[in-house]
Each structure stands twice: as C-alpha cells, then as structure tokens.
C-alpha cells in the first residue's frame, strides 16, 4: 500500500469513526430533541386555541352577566330590554359576532338583537320562540349559574350554534328570566382556522361528550348528525378532554398512529386536539440526521478526494526523492531531482542533492588524486566514445595537454594528425597489441580496456589503461644483446685459446719464443673469460643480495694505484696515456678494498676502451669535506645525452658509436653503481658526445676521519 492510499484510508477511517459516533450518539439525541420540539409545538397550538376560545366564551359570559345586572333587563320591560341589547351589540365588539336574546322564566324569548341577522336568524323569528327545553336554559334556571351549551342546530336558520346563558335575577331574589347569547360554531371554527397548521397537522374541536364540533379540512358549517357531529368519544385523547385534562400523547386515528396534543376549553368542557401522523413527526425528526448523513457523506467523499489529491501532492516529491535515491544507488548521478517549495521535503531534497554533490566532489577529488599519481597512462571515455579524462602521465607520454582531446570523439581525433595517436590508443582492444608512440620520445605501449557498467548493466563508457612497456622491450633487447655479446665475448677468446693450444699440441710450434708468446695469449684470453664470468657472477650476487663487503679502512691512493698497475698493459697496448693526479695521502674511507679496486678498474678500463688510440686518460682523487672524490676523465667518444640516464642499468650499452669498443657486457657500470652505493656513496657521469666523459664517484669518510 503506497503512502497516498494510506493517507486516503486514514482520512476515510477518521471520517467513518466520526460518522459512527454521530449515528450512535448524536443522531438519536437529535431525533429525540426534534420529537420533543414537535410535541411542544403542537401542544402550544392546542393550548393557545383552547385558551383563545375559553377567553372568548368567558368574555361573552362576563358581558352577559354585566347586562343581567342592568335594571333595564331586570324589569323585564321588553322595550327597555331591546334598547339596551341594541346598544350593547353596537358598542361591545365581543357581542357583535353573536345574537343576544332574553327569555322570560317560562322560556319564551322576549327580545333578540344581533348585528348579523342573516347568518343567525331574524328577530321576528326569535321572539316568541320557546327555549324552555334547551339545556342551557334549564341549567341556568335550575342552577342560577352561567351555563354553556354543547353545540346544537338552531331550528330557524339551520346553523350550528352554541349558547351561553346567564340568569336574570328578579327583585324577589329568584330567577326572573335568562339572558343568553347564541354563538355560531362557525365563529369558533374561524378561530381554529386562523391557526397556521404545520405540515400534515390537523386540528379538531370536540364538545363535552366527545362529538366533533369543528375539524380542519372539513366543511365546518355543515357538520351534523349524532347530536352534532362525529363521535370521537372513544379516542383516548378525547376521553382525556372529557375527563378535563390537557396533555399530549400518542393515539390511533383513522388506523394511523398520531402524536396528539389536547387542551380543554374550560367554560364549555369542550376540547381542542392538535394532531399529526407519527410517521410525519418521525420523518421530521429524521430530516436533520438524514441531512447530516448527507452532509457527512458529501464531506466523506470530498475529504477523501481532497486527501487523495493532497496525499498525491505530498507524495509526489517523496516519490521523486525515492526515484532519485534509486538512481544514485544504481550509480547514475546525472539524475535530476526537481522538488520545489519551502517545506521539509524540499529541504531534505536539497540536502540530499548537496550531499550527493559533495560526495561526487570528494570522489572526484580522490579519483583525480589516484589518476594523477598513476604511473600508467589512463584515458576514460563516455557512452558516446568521447574522451572524458586523460591523466597527467598520459599527457607526458603523448606530449600534449588533456584539454586538447577532452570531449572529442574518435573521428574528431583522427582528423587531427597530432591527435590521431590518441584515436589509435582508444581503438586498440587487444592487450597484446603494442602501439608505438613516436613523439615526444619513442615509447612502446600496451592498452588494457575495460567497460564501465552502471546499475542494470547500463553502459557508462570505457576505461583505457596504457602501460609503458618500453623498458621491458629495452630489457629484452639488452638481454638478447647480452646473450649475443657474451657468446661472442666467450667464443672469441675460446677460439683463440683452442687455436693456439691445437697448434702447440700438433707440435707445429717448436720455437720456445713463439710458444711463450702463444701461451701468453692463451693466458690473456683466459683472464678475459674469467673477468667476464666474474662480472656475470657479481651481477648475479648483487641481484640475489648475496654480495658481501669486507669493509675496513681503505686508502684510496693504494686502491687507484693497484687498478692502474693492472690496466697498464692494456693502456700501453692501446697507446693510451693513463695519468694519476692525487695527493700523497687521502683520508681513509671505510670499504672493501677489492670491490673499490673493481670500481676504479671498470671506470678506467672503460675510459681506455672508449678512447681513440693515442688518447689520454686522467684519474684524480681529492679529499672533500665529507668524503673522497675520485674522477676518471677521457677524451674518447663521449656518450649521447639520451643514454646517460640509462647508463648504470644492467646490460645497457650504447650501440654503434664506438666500433673499436664493440665488445662488452653492459654490466661494468651497473656493478660500479651497486658497489659505490653499497659504500654509501654516489656515482655520476658528465659527458659530451665526441669530446669525452668524466665518471665520478664520491665515498663517505670513515667515522674517525669525519671527526677530524
Ligand atoms: P661494457 O663496457 O662492458 O659494455 P659497461 O657497463 O661498462 O659495459 O658500459 C656500458 C656502456 O656505457 C658501454 O657499452 C658504453 O657504451 C658506455 N660507456 C661506458 N664508459 C664509457 C666511456 N668512458 N666513454 C664512452 N662510453 C662509455
């Protein structure tokens, strides 16, 4: 599961939990509050209407009582009564909606006034009417109290009426008559109709026996039957009213459960019922939770979408970072990391980038240090075979600067005659193939190639290591020269020895003088062979570290003298004058006199060998502060400058320039250098081609002489 999905799931879970909490705890609470509100609302409706009608009936009763107390009424004088009633219906707003009449003690109506005769009945019809059997008249006469009737149909007009009757007291203290008001039920129904009913809400009014007086949504003026209307007395709420209670509760109406509030109209004992199907009440109480549920669902979907978008935006840079890290892990440092913004991820990205940069810089430094200090040539190429690196050693070998070849392809290099050799090196695949570099010095090189692979075997280019095998080739050459020379050196004296021995064995040389001469030659050639073998053995001993030095205080005068005496005959033979120039005594050096004699012998012998006939060789020795300096100078062939650095190497010989001195092993100067250095000294040469050479060596003084 990736981070985006995780954030999406997290947000979805949080919202789901919130929804669950709402469904379990909040929604029932909302529902019960809404139900309570609905209860209160309809109860308030029922109470208000009941109290309005109560007030209306009370007010009329009060007005009638006021009138009953009037003398004009008490006299039971019809004309006076008429006057007062007329005045009353015109002045009292309360009485304008009703008909007021007076009946004598026998129940005969004596007068009647009404502002709206059309809706009630006319005075002519009323006067003389007998109401003695009407309940309100009977109640009033018998109880002497104000009585309110249940609705009844008024015969002359056929309208539903309710009446309030008040006794008129005669002067003798008895009831002298009744003053009554007939109220059209329509007026009361109008008071109910004024009510604004809520959705699916209905209201009805019942009389004290549970018959419907008025009901919303019904033609109230035409109610008839029973005594007055439908019989609702079996309803629990109506029974509540009949018991004089006001309350709220659930009950069955038309086969449907209803929430009903009922209130008693006190003066008449009637009641008002406000009701509403329970279904509607509950639907109402479900609206808010359902609405909230809808909002929650919308919030859920929006929040999850926003979370996903946000998570995507959040994880995008993280994904880029991860991709970058993967690329770096695979070794691809060229990958781009583009994370913008000022947040933590951008900060981490720039830190990682700078870490990678620093790491690359460090690696580059290390690599450069390694490559620059390499004693082999190195060329690196990128995937497109362009030169990306050429180390200083390679620059030196080729005699050109890296900048001249960097970023160039093989074909570009081939186009430039100076750089063509680099193209040749780059194209050489076999490590056995040898390439000859002509400039600036002739060199023989071999090329080792290896491919650079990145992560996933990605081609990153190639590395070429160029090995300088010039020395090996020279060594090979020297060895073959040595074998050729040594065989020649060995064969020549051997031939001469065998030739002279054979002559003598054959008895062809009888002359003692000639025999002596031949034997001397044989001796000389044997000596030469012996020297040759000694040189080879010395070299071998030096190489294997077996050369030993019997060091003791040595006077260099003696050493030089001995060497010169040994070489005297050779010098004379070659007509070379060898002269020595040194002080009578020289400071003592610590050394192996035989080995040091060999040093002087080799140097003087070379000086004689490489001088022309009649030449001069001078040997000097002098004391210096820290040692004794011995120099051998000749006026011979001299040595080419290019050969001087190689002169003291094994088997090195300068070819061609000295045909008269073609014999030799190339070991003499090597042995000289090894012996001098084993004595803590140095040897060197200064030479000019065609003018001669000076070979010098300096030996350190022995401990005692140093202190002097
Ligand atoms: P060898 O003399 O047996 O060839 P060395 O080691 O003594 O071997 O000398 C090596 C080479 O150095 C010689 O072959 C010669 O070319 C050169 N060389 C040595 N001494 C002299 C000299 N005094 N003058 C000119 N060339 C010299």
């Amino acid at each position: 599961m990736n981070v985006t999905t995780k954030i999406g799931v997290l947000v979805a879970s949080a919202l789901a939990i919130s929804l669950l909490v709402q469904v379990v705890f909040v929604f029932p609470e909302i529902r019960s509050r809404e139900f309570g509100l609905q209860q209160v609302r309809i109860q308030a409706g029922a109470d208000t209407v009941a109290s309005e009608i109560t007030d209306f009936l009370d007010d009329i009763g009060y007005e009638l009582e006021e009138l009953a107390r009037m003398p004009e009424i008490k006299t039971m004088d019809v004309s006076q009564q008429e006057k007062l009633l007329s005045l009353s219906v015109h002045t009292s707003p309360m009485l304008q909606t009703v008909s007021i009449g007076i009946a004598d003690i026998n129940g005969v109506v004596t007068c009647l006034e009404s502002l709206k005769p059309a809706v009630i009945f006319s005075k002519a019809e009323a006067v003389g009417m007998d109401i003695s059997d009407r309940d309100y008249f009977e109640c009033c006469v018998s109880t002497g109290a104000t009585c309110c009737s249940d609705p009844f149909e008024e015969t002359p007009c056929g309208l539903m009426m309710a009446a309030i009757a008040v006794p008129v007291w005669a002067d003798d203290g008895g009831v002298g008559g009744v003053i009554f008001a007939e109220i059209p039920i329509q007026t009361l129904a109008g008071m109910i109709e004024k009510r604004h009913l809520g959705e699916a809400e209905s209201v009805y009014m019942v009389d004290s026996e549970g018959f419907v007086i008025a009901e919303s949504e019904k033609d109230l003026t035409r109610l008839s039957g029973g005594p007055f209307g439908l019989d609702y007395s079996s309803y629990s709420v109506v029974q509540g009213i009949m018991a004089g209670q006001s309350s709220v509760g659930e009950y069955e109406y038309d086969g449907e459960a209803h929430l009903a509030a009922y209130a008693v109209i006190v003066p008449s004992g009637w009641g008002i019922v406000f009701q509403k199907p329970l279904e509607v009440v509950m639907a109402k109480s479900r609206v808010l939770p359902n609405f909230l549920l809808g909002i929650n669902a919308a919030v859920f979907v929006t929040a999850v979408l926003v979370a996903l978008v946000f998570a995507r935006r959040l994880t995008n840079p993280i994904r880029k970072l991860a991709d970058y890290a993967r690329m770096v892990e695979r070794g691809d440092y060229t990958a781009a990391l583009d994370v913008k913004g000022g947040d933590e991820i951008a900060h981490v990205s720039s830190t990682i980038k700078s870490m990678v940069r620093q790491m690359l810089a460090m690696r580059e430094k290390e690599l450069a240090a390694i490559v620059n200090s390499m004693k082999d040539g190195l060329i690196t190429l990128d995937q497109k075979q362009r030169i990306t690196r050429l180390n200083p050693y390679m620059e030196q070998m080729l005699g050109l600067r890296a900048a001249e070849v960097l970023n160039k392809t093989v074909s570009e290099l081939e186009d430039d005659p100076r750089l063509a050799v680099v193209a040749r090196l780059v194209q050489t695949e076999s490590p056995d193939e040898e390439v000859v570099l002509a400039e600036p010095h002739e060199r023989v090189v071999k090329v080792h190639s290896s491919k650079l692979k990145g992560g996933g075997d990605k081609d990153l280019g190639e590395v070429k290591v160029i090995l300088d095998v010039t020395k090996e080739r020279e060594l090979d050459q020297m060895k073959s020269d040595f074998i050729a020379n040594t065989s020649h050196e060995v064969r020549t004296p051997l031939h001469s020895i065998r030739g002279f021995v054979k002559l003598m064995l054959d008895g062809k040389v009888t002359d003692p003088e000639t025999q002596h001469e031949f034997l001397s030659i044989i001796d000389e050639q044997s000596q030469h062979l012996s020297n040759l073998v000694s040189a080879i053995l010395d070299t071998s001993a030096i190489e294997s570290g077996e050369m030993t030095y019997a060091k003791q205080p040595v006077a260099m005068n003696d050493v030089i003298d001995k060497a010169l005496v040994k070489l005297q005959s050779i010098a004379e033979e070659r007509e070379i004058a060898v002269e020595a120039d040194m002080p009578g005594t020289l400071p003592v050096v610590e050394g192996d006199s035989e080995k040091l004699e060999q040093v002087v012998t080799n140097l003087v012998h070379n000086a004689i060998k490489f001088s022309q006939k009649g030449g001069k060789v001078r040997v000097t020795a002098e004391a210096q502060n820290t040692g004794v300096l011995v120099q051998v100078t000749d006026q011979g062939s001299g040595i080419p400058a290019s050969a001087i650095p190689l002169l003291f190497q094994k088997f090195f010989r300068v070819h061609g320039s000295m045909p008269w001195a073609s014999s030799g092993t190339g070991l003499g100067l090597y042995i000289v250098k090894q012996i001098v250095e084993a004595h803590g000294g140095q040897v060197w040469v200064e030479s000019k081609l065609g003018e001669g050479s000076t070979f010098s060596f300096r030996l350190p003084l022995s401990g005692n002489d140093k202190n002097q």
Side-chain angles (χ1 to χ4, degrees):
M1 200 191 275
N2 62 26
V3 179
T4 308
T5 320
K6 279 181 188 165
I7 292 179
V9 169
L10 194 73
V11 171
S13 315
L15 290 171
I17 290 169
S18 145
L19 190 63
L20 196 70
V21 168
Q22 290 184 50
V23 168
V24 173
F25 300 105
V26 181
F27 288 4
E29 179 66 19
I30 290 174
R31 265 199 284 275
S32 89
R33 274 172 191 241
E34 181 58 30
F35 187 77
L37 269 176
Q38 291 287 326
Q39 272 189 339
V40 169
R41 226 182 68 77
I42 61 170
Q43 192 159 26
D47 286 346
T48 309
V49 172
S51 69
E52 270 176 20
I53 295 174
T54 300
D55 290 349
F56 179 72
L57 296 177
D58 278 347
D59 288 349
I60 289 175
Y62 174 74
E63 294 270 349
L64 292 178
E65 282 166 12
E66 285 291 305
L67 284 172
R69 277 195 286 275
M70 293 293 177
E72 292 88 337
I73 302 296
K74 283 181 148 198
T75 57
M76 295 305 282
D77 180 284
V78 174
S79 67
Q80 282 193 25
Q81 285 176 336
E82 277 182 344
K83 268 189 205 161
L84 188 65
L85 290 187
S86 172
L87 183 71
S88 298
V89 295
H90 280 95
T91 52
S92 163
M94 199 57 67
L95 300 178
Q96 284 168 8
T97 55
V98 301
S99 302
I100 311 172
I102 297 172
D104 61 20
I105 192 66
N106 300 315
V108 177
V109 177
T110 54
C111 62
L112 189 123
E113 280 298 331
S114 169
L115 272 186
K116 295 180 181 170
V119 293
I120 307 174
F121 52 96
S122 70
K123 193 171 166 177
E125 284 170 327
V127 173
M129 206 167 78
D130 182 7
I131 60 166
S132 59
D133 58 346
R134 294 192 178 178
D135 57 355
Y136 60 90
F137 180 83
E138 284 174 355
C139 161
C140 193
V141 171
S142 59
T143 62
T146 302
C147 291
C148 191
S149 78
D150 276 342
F152 60 91
E153 188 175 349
E154 187 55 84
T155 328
C157 62
L159 291 178
M160 292 299 291
M161 293 287 187
I164 297 175
V166 171
V168 180
W169 297 99
D171 292 336
D172 57 5
V175 176
V178 168
I179 181 162
F180 64 93
E182 284 198 14
I183 308 154
I185 291 300
Q186 208 175 10
T187 305
L188 301 176
M191 293 172 78
I192 301 173
E193 278 181 334
K194 278 193 310 196
R195 299 299 308 170
H196 171 75
L197 299 176
E199 186 207 346
E201 207 169 276
S202 60
V203 54
Y204 60 82
M205 181 160 62
V206 292
D207 65 16
S208 59
E209 290 178 5
F211 289 95
V212 176
I213 303 171
E215 186 164 11
S216 62
E217 297 175 343
K218 289 197 175 159
D219 186 353
L220 299 166
T221 58
R222 291 182 191 281
L223 280 175
S224 61
F228 304 111
L230 299 171
D231 183 1
Y232 281 4
S233 58
S234 60
Y235 293 157
S236 57
V237 289
V238 175
Q239 283 166 0
I241 290 167
M242 285 157 70
Q245 290 164 1
S246 294
S247 189
V248 65
E250 285 178 37
Y251 84 112
E252 190 89 359
Y253 179 83
D254 272 357
E256 201 182 340
H258 277 68
L259 175 67
Y262 52 98
V264 177
I265 299 167
V266 181
S268 57
W270 307 340
I272 294 288
V273 179
F274 267 65
Q275 65 178 23
K276 199 169 197 172
L278 208 57
E279 181 74 13
V280 178
V281 174
M282 293 316 288
K284 191 103 183 156
S285 72
R286 269 197 297 267
V287 167
L288 189 58
N290 285 348
F291 175 70
L292 286 178
L293 214 60
I295 296 252
N296 268 300
V299 167
F300 184 88
V301 172
T302 315
V304 170
L305 285 178
V306 168
L308 286 177
V309 170
F310 175 74
R312 224 180 159 66
R313 289 189 62 175
L314 189 81
T315 54
N316 244 352
I318 297 177
R319 208 172 36 248
K320 280 185 187 173
L321 204 61
D323 289 347
Y324 178 75
R326 250 195 307 278
M327 301 282 261
V328 170
E329 190 190 21
R330 284 189 202 143
D332 183 359
Y333 301 104
T334 54
L337 178 58
D338 179 27
V339 176
K340 295 194 179 77
D343 60 4
E344 290 83 350
I345 299 173
H347 185 67
V348 169
S349 303
S350 79
T351 310
I352 289 178
K353 267 200 289 187
S354 102
M355 273 165 61
V356 170
R357 266 201 302 274
Q358 278 178 20
M359 189 189 78
L360 282 179
M362 258 165 65
R363 280 182 48 166
E364 179 55 34
K365 261 189 187 170
E366 282 174 16
L367 195 65
I370 294 168
V371 166
N372 292 348
S373 62
M374 271 174 75
K375 290 297 169 222
D376 290 311
L378 181 108
I379 299 174
T380 58
L381 302 151
D382 64 12
Q383 311 93 302
K384 293 180 181 163
Q385 289 288 296
R386 282 185 307 230
I387 307 263
T388 50
R389 195 188 288 274
L390 191 135
N391 74 339
Y393 192 79
M394 199 66 232
E395 285 182 324
Q396 205 182 312
M397 273 206 268
L398 295 169
L400 48 82
R401 283 177 302 109
E404 295 178 71
V405 296
L406 283 185
N407 289 321
K408 290 199 169 140
T409 58
V410 171
S411 56
E412 283 169 339
L413 293 169
E414 278 172 338
D415 291 345
D416 186 336
R418 273 192 71 232
L419 310 179
V421 65
V422 184
R424 171 86 205 283
L425 290 174
V426 167
Q427 286 171 312
T428 303
E429 294 296 339
S430 165
D432 298 326
E433 195 180 332
E434 290 186 348
V435 181
V436 178
L437 309 179
E439 298 288 338
H441 307 291
E442 191 174 301
R443 282 172 197 264
V444 183
V445 297
K446 281 186 173 181
V447 182
H448 286 263
S449 308
S450 45
K451 300 272 180 209
L452 282 178
K453 297 279 180 196
D457 238 18
K458 191 181 171 192
D459 178 20
L460 296 179
E462 216 178 329
V463 181
K464 303 261 176 193
V465 176
I466 291 90
L467 302 177
D468 186 350
V469 292
T470 313
K471 281 190 185 156
E472 281 90 323
R473 290 297 150 273
E474 282 175 356
L475 205 63
D476 290 347
Q477 183 61 43
M478 278 185 221
K479 277 181 188 165
S480 45
D481 284 0
F482 171 74
I483 292 166
N485 287 337
T486 315
S487 336
H488 175 77
E489 287 290 307
V490 172
R491 207 179 319 121
T492 311
L494 270 180
H495 271 166
S496 123
I497 291 168
R498 281 188 65 200
F500 286 113
V501 169
K502 195 165 186 335
L503 278 175
M504 290 178 74
L505 282 177
D506 289 350
K508 287 182 183 161
V509 184
T510 49
D511 173 21
E513 211 171 304
T514 314
Q515 279 182 346
H516 182 263
E517 189 190 337
F518 279 15
L519 285 173
S520 302
I521 294 170
I522 289 169
D523 178 50
E524 189 188 311
Q525 294 301 329
S526 315
Q527 186 60 44
H528 184 67
L529 273 179
S530 160
N531 288 345
L532 190 63
V533 172
S534 299
I536 294 169
L537 288 176
D538 283 349
T539 304
S540 165
I542 289 165
E543 297 277 279
S544 61
E546 287 167 6
M547 179 74 111
T548 53
Y549 297 93
K551 288 187 183 174
Q552 54 190 24
V554 175
M556 280 308 287
N557 306 47
D558 298 344
V559 170
I560 293 167
D561 282 342
K562 274 189 192 168
L564 293 187
V565 168
K566 235 180 8 188
L567 293 167
Q568 200 173 348
S569 58
I570 300 171
E572 281 169 4
E573 190 185 314
R574 290 203 37 77
E575 296 169 23
I576 307 287
V578 179
E579 56 184 56
D581 180 7
M582 49 190 172
T585 52
L586 277 171
V588 174
V589 295
E590 187 85 2
D592 183 328
S593 60
E594 270 183 33
K595 300 279 186 320
L596 292 176
E597 190 184 317
Q598 193 181 347
V599 169
V600 177
T601 306
N602 284 3
L603 293 178
V604 177
H605 190 194
N606 276 350
I608 294 168
K609 207 159 66 173
F610 295 105
S611 289
Q612 302 207 30
K613 259 194 179 165
K616 224 192 231 178
V617 171
R618 188 177 148 79
V619 182
T620 62
E622 62 180 87
Q624 290 189 326
N625 277 348
T626 52
V628 173
L629 174 70
V630 180
Q631 292 186 301
V632 179
T633 306
D634 65 62
Q635 298 162 338
S637 60
I639 302 157
S642 62
I644 285 179
L646 310 170
L647 214 55
F648 293 96
Q649 289 180 6
K650 259 184 304 188
F651 304 119
F652 181 79
R653 304 186 72 226
V654 181
H655 289 277
S657 57
M658 296 137 295
W660 65 88
S662 61
S663 67
T665 57
L667 292 173
L669 289 179
Y670 171 74
I671 293 169
V672 164
K673 187 170 189 287
Q674 300 304 317
I675 293 174
V676 170
E677 287 180 353
H679 282 81
Q682 307 97 35
V683 59
W684 67 94
V685 61
E686 290 151 296
S687 180
K688 238 180 182 178
L689 202 57
E691 290 183 19
S693 318
T694 298
F695 282 84
S696 314
F697 70 91
R698 186 189 294 117
L699 294 171
L701 296 182
S702 70
N704 290 342
D705 279 342
K706 247 192 255 177
N707 297 337
Q708 280 169 7

